[in-house]
């Protein structure tokens, strides 16, 4: 049986984690092995890069290169080997996040990011990307209710997240065959139903 590569995207506070938990449980109950992972991170080197990315101030160029350094390691050492073993890979964020945050949010060149993507990943892409769409105001309320300190990205204002959201939506609309856009302000059960409708033919 073939593995599948599913990614979850959306602005901070969109509520991805709960839905990833539910999907993982469901896929495992069907007898598949799930490799659950995240970006930035997912490998020993990637988790170290994550620590730098979330804590240190740096230029958008440095940031973009570090996200791709972590991603190159992640794809080569973790995601592709798991898929080759027939596992399902579920990742909390992947390449679309760089287009949304660094290109949409911070104004990095999309062409440079495309060049990095071609270099590090070739044409490697998820089978399905679930985009959690939520207004920046609703996401900020959810983040505020969460325990713990904000990281460098979560501390950005609503204007930034409005740009990130718009970039995600634009990308999703141009790639309807890969993206599922869910309204993350709906009840969690309804969000999960939408994901299930997409995934169940593969189970
Ligand atoms: P995430 O793990 O979703 O944060 P948290 O654990 O707090 O939910 O992601 C960390 C942050 O990194 C998030 O704000 C989005 C940002 N990010 C980018 O800016 N570009 C990227 O390419 C990726 C993968 C994440």
């Amino acid at each position: 049986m073939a593995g599948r590569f599913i990614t979850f995207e959306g602005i901070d506070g969109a509520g991805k984690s709960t839905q990833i938990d539910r999907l993982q449980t469901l896929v495992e109950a069907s007898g598949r092995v799930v490799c659950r992972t995240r970006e930035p991170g997912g490998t020993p080197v990637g988790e170290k890069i994550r620590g730098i990315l979330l804590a240190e101030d740096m230029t958008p160029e440095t940031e973009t290169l570090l996200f791709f350094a972590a991603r190159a390691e992640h794809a080569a050492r973790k995601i592709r080997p798991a898929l080759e073993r027939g596992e399902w890979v579920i990742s909390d964020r992947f390449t679309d996040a760089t287009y949304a945050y660094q290109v949409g949010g911070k104004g990095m060149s999309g062409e440079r990011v495309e060049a990095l993507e071609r270099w590090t990943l070739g044409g490697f892409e998820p089978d399905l990307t679930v985009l959690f769409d939520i207004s920046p105001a609703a996401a900020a309320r959810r983040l505020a209710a969460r325990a713990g300190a904000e990281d460098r990205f979560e501390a950005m204002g609503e204007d930034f997240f409005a740009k990130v959201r718009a970039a995600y939506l634009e990308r999703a609309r141009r790639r309807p065959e890969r993206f599922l856009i869910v309204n993350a302000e709906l009840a969690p059960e309804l969000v999960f139903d939408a994901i299930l409708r997409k995934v169940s033919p593969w189970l």
Side-chain angles (χ1 to χ4, degrees):
M1 274 183 303
R4 298 284 175 176
F5 178 27
I6 303 176
T7 58
F8 283 71
E9 300 280 357
I11 63 174
D12 295 79
K16 291 179 276 113
S17 318
T18 323
Q19 300 291 341
I20 295 177
D21 288 345
R22 295 182 72 168
L23 180 62
Q24 177 174 8
T25 305
L26 183 107
V27 175
E28 284 174 348
S30 80
R32 272 83 170 175
V33 177
V34 172
C35 167
R36 175 162 175 180
T37 189
R38 66 172 180 181
E39 288 209 349
T43 65
V45 166
E47 291 292 328
K48 286 191 174 165
I49 296 175
R50 178 188 178 88
I52 300 171
L53 274 165
L54 297 190
E56 308 291 339
D57 183 41
M58 64 189 81
T59 70
E61 286 79 5
T62 309
E63 188 174 293
T64 302
L65 290 166
L66 285 178
F67 277 117
F68 269 102
R71 185 166 298 132
E73 189 72 7
H74 194 203
R77 296 257 171 103
K78 187 165 186 180
I79 300 174
R80 301 181 91 142
L83 291 170
E84 278 158 21
R85 291 192 298 269
E87 296 175 13
W88 281 49
V89 177
I90 304 178
S91 185
D92 187 346
R93 304 188 185 282
F94 195 59
T95 315
D96 297 304
T98 308
Y99 285 100
Y101 281 76
Q102 279 65 49
V103 178
K106 299 199 172 178
M108 284 291 305
S109 145
E111 280 167 25
R112 284 198 178 165
V113 170
E114 279 167 16
L116 286 170
E117 183 184 8
R118 272 196 303 278
W119 176 40
T120 55
L121 301 176
F124 182 61
E125 278 192 334
D127 295 302
L128 169 67
T129 298
V130 183
L131 173 58
F132 283 62
D133 187 48
I134 187 170
S135 75
R141 283 195 295 276
R142 288 192 188 169
L143 281 181
R146 214 195 257 176
E150 290 183 322
D151 65 39
R152 198 162 67 81
F153 292 92
E154 288 165 1
M156 303 288 286
E158 285 183 22
D159 290 356
F160 174 77
F161 286 115
K163 287 193 268 181
V164 175
R165 178 193 196 187
Y168 267 135
L169 285 172
E170 166 75 9
R171 242 182 116 63
R173 290 192 181 118
R174 286 175 184 270
R175 294 164 184 76
E177 65 301 334
R178 173 162 70 85
F179 274 89
L180 169 69
I181 304 174
V182 296
N183 177 352
E185 293 180 53
L186 295 177
E189 292 68 35
L190 297 178
V191 173
F192 193 63
D193 284 347
I195 298 171
L196 258 191
R197 276 197 294 279
K198 200 79 185 178
V199 168
S200 40
W202 292 340
L203 288 170

